[in-house]
């Protein structure tokens, strides 16, 4: 009997990292207080009551029980297009929007639309691990744009140019960044976009965390107002963080209408349509919950400030970058891997974090803290646990 083979592009991948990290917390004895989970990026506060009500109404409505439009509900596409137009000072129409089941699915659709097996897609290094594994599963080669602490983990124009090869079809960037929290300045994004236009490649810009830029930051960039932006730009977004509904899996892709048409072919095979009830609820929430979302932005600002205070003169620990949901922290144990440090930090100090090497092998001196998960009072408890921590 011959055993049937599994797909080696999948079997060579490591298991999902978040459950493995969270399992370390099961060995913590609680002696220093409750477990502080800074591993997975989830909102640390509940959805607005109206959001829950609208979800319930939509879920119980016959109107959403059948298949919907592949590209998404017209109500949400138009509401989100108006929102994007306001945020970026651009003219975006509903036809430029494709709704997906989460931002990860938006990324899968985007890369499948622009790259084939054997092509190369560039990512920043450190990178978001789900982007890297998606490319690997599809047989798409990965190139890297080096980002280092000296530059605040923001990619330089020179680093992008050095990474370009003839087989590159796209450059994927995440800003505010996962894992580092680094916020890419508008002028840097414009310079990088110019390179993409010059070389005929796509810029896939994941802006999942844009709603949590510092208060008063202004527009994240002005690329959607550039002439012929549709020929080189695909923007990704998630409704999970801003509306606190990650379990409802809803994301969006903004692109030229020709790209939306191609993505619809992919979505028809992946899922047919994104969850309809959530789309109906979010279409109502986008214009109605503006002040509530602004309040959450302020709350995340407070949490970031609390972590900055915690990290001052903290016995060899160093805050290298912070923004939106994340902080990238250098640990003081030079001879130990970030995996070992994170594991012992979870088991001994009751702090869950993600090892830096999960975002690229050379980042073993770092840990990612998803500080948005915890309120300021909880974040303040980190200092006493970390200052006394040893391996």
């Amino acid at each position: 009997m011959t055993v049937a083979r599994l797909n080696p592009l999948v079997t060579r991948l490591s298991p999902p990292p978040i459950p493995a990290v969270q399992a370390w917390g099961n060995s913590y004895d609680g002696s220093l207080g409750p477990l502080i989970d800074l591993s997975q990026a989830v909102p640390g506060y509940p959805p607005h009551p109206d959001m829950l009500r609208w979800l319930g109404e939509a879920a119980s409505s016959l109107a959403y029980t059948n298949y919907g439009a592949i590209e998404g509900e017209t109500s949400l596409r138009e509401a989100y297009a108006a929102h994007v137009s306001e945020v970026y000072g651009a003219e975006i129409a509903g036809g430029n929007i494709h709704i997906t089941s989460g931002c990860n699915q938006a990324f899968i659709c985007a890369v499948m639309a622009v790259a084939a097996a054997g092509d190369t897609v560039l990512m920043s290094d450190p990178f978001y691990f789900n982007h890297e594994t998606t490319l690997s599963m599809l047989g798409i080669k990965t190139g890297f744009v080096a980002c280092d602490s000296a530059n605040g983990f923001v990619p330089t124009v020179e680093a992008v140019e050095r990474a370009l090869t003839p087989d590159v079809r796209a450059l994927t960037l995440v800003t505010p960044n996962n894992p580092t929290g680094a916020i890419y300045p508008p002028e840097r994004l414009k310079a990088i976009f110019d390179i993409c236009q010059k070389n005929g490649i796509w810029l896939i810009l994941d802006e999942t965390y844009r709603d949590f830029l510092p208060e008063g930051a202004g527009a994240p960039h002005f690329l959607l107002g550039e002439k012929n932006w549709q020929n080189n730009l695909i923007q990704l977004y998630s409704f999970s963080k801003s509306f606190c509904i990650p379990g409802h899996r809803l994301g969006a892709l903004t692109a030229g209408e020709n790209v939306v048409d191609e993505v619809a072919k992919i979505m028809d095979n992946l899922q047919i349509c994104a969850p309809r009830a959530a789309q109906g609820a979010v279409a109502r929430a986008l214009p109605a919950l503006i002040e509530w979302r602004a309040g959450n932005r302020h709350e995340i600002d407070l949490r970031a400030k609390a972590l900055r205070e915690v990290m001052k003169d903290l016995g060899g620990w160093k805050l290298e970058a912070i923004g939106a949901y994340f902080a990238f922290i250098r640990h003081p144990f030079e001879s130990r891997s970030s995996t070992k440090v994170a594991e012992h930090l979870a088991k001994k100090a009751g702090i869950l974090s993600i090892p830096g090497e999960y975002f690229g092998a050379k980042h073993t001196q770092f840990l990612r803290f998803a500080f948005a998960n915890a309120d300021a009072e909880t974040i303040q408890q980190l200092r006493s646990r970390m200052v006394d921590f040893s391996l």
Side-chain angles (χ1 to χ4, degrees), residues 280-326:
V282 171
R284 298 173 70 178
L286 261 171
L289 299 183
I290 293 173
E291 291 185 7
W292 179 76
R293 298 203 310 276
N296 293 339
R297 183 180 192 172
H298 177 68
E299 173 61 27
I300 297 302
D301 258 0
L302 294 178
R303 297 178 185 195
K305 291 175 182 176
L307 185 58
R308 288 189 181 96
E309 287 298 316
V310 164
M311 295 304 302
K312 288 180 179 178
D313 302 317
L314 188 56
W317 298 86
K318 185 179 180 183
L319 180 63
E320 293 284 7
I322 186 171
Y325 258 55
F326 304 108

Side-chain angles (χ1 to χ4, degrees), residues 64-111:
Y64 293 113
T65 56
N66 212 331
Y67 292 119
I70 297 170
E71 298 87 352
E73 301 293 315
T74 299
S75 60
L76 179 55
R77 294 177 75 195
E78 291 181 349
Y80 182 63
H83 173 68
V84 171
S85 298
E86 182 178 359
V87 170
Y88 295 94
E91 295 182 6
I92 303 299
N96 296 120
I97 306 299
H98 200 303
I99 304 301
T100 60
S101 184
C103 194
N104 275 336
Q105 189 177 73
F107 177 73
I108 292 172
C109 290
V111 296

Side-chain angles (χ1 to χ4, degrees), residues 153-232:
F153 292 104
V154 175
T156 65
V157 170
E158 294 76 17
V160 173
E161 291 176 329
R162 284 195 299 268
L164 290 175
T165 56
D167 60 346
V168 169
R169 298 291 173 263
L171 164 64
T172 296
L173 297 178
V174 183
T175 179
N177 187 255
N178 181 4
T180 67
I183 297 168
Y184 300 173
E187 60 274 13
R188 184 67 54 83
L189 289 172
K190 173 62 167 64
I192 291 173
F193 184 60
D194 288 346
I195 294 172
C196 292
Q197 287 189 309
K198 178 182 177 181
N199 289 274
I201 65 174
W202 291 95
L203 174 59
I204 301 175
L205 197 58
D206 183 336
E207 296 187 74
T208 291
Y209 303 97
R210 69 153 183 253
D211 295 321
F212 304 98
L213 288 169
E215 293 177 288
H221 56 76
F222 302 97
L223 301 184
L224 292 168
E226 290 291 316
K227 184 178 180 180
N228 297 323
W229 68 267
Q230 302 96 329
N231 296 335
N232 298 87

Side-chain angles (χ1 to χ4, degrees), residues 70-72 76 98-109 237-240 245-253 263 267 270-276 278-279:
I70 297 170
E71 298 87 352
L76 179 55
H98 200 303
I99 304 301
T100 60
S101 184
C103 194
N104 275 336
Q105 189 177 73
F107 177 73
I108 292 172
C109 290
Y237 178 73
S238 169
F239 297 101
S240 297
I245 53 169
H248 286 277
R249 310 308 305 132
L250 208 62
L253 180 150
V263 168
M267 271 292 288
L270 287 180
Q271 187 159 329
I272 300 181
C273 64
R276 297 191 66 200
Q279 291 187 63

Side-chain angles (χ1 to χ4, degrees), residues 319-377:
L319 180 63
E320 293 284 7
I322 186 171
Y325 258 55
F326 304 108
F328 217 44
I329 294 173
R330 187 184 297 271
H331 68 75
F333 308 101
E334 294 185 5
S335 63
R336 308 300 292 272
S337 72
S338 62
T339 299
K340 280 296 180 186
V341 174
E343 180 180 359
H344 285 273
L345 193 65
K347 293 179 176 180
K348 293 182 177 181
I351 301 170
L352 287 179
S353 61
I354 304 294
E357 59 205 86
Y358 286 15
F359 307 99
K362 72 178 185 180
H363 305 292
T364 191
Q365 289 302 118
F366 297 95
L367 302 176
R368 188 195 77 175
F369 279 17
F371 66 85
N373 295 8
D375 59 25
E377 183 178 354

